[in-house]
Amino acid sequence: MSTQLSPGAETVVDERTKPQLDDGDHERFSHYVPKDKLTEAMVMGTPVVALCGKVWVPSRDPQRFPVCPECKEIWESLNPGDEGKGGDGEE
């Protein structure tokens, strides 16, 4: 026995997966770096290294981007119980 849908109706499948990061995806995130290194990089134009390994010269407002999931995971593993404190270039 088959079920008939109303005209115009369709089945929607909601599939959720953990996103896999490609090389270009690091540009879409705000990354965790030591505050003193961030300040120096912003003033001097020198590159910094994020916890996830991304190397770049910061020039954009980190609050405009979501936090890098790799950086966040590393930060939380280094500082258990200190969620929400420091590291993403805002401090």
Side-chain angles (χ1 to χ4, degrees), residues 5-35:
L5 299 174
S6 300
E10 60 183 77
T11 302
V12 176
V13 178
D14 184 12
E15 294 182 15
R16 296 174 193 243
T17 60
K18 184 175 180 181
Q20 297 294 319
L21 298 179
D22 292 328
D23 290 337
D25 286 341
H26 287 285
E27 302 303 321
R28 301 179 193 168
F29 296 114
S30 176
H31 296 273
Y32 284 25
V33 299
K35 182 180 177 180

Side-chain angles (χ1 to χ4, degrees), residues 52-75:
C52 67
K54 176 186 165 78
V55 179
W56 85 108
V57 176
S59 62
R60 297 187 241 175
D61 179 5
Q63 294 181 344
R64 293 181 41 210
F65 302 93
V67 174
C68 168
E70 287 183 66
C71 283
K72 184 175 182 177
E73 185 177 321
I74 294 167
W75 176 256

Side-chain angles (χ1 to χ4, degrees), residues 68-90:
C68 168
E70 287 183 66
C71 283
K72 184 175 182 177
E73 185 177 321
I74 294 167
W75 176 256
E76 289 173 355
S77 73
L78 294 174
N79 299 291
D82 284 349
E83 291 183 34
K85 290 187 180 179
D88 63 1
E90 299 173 19

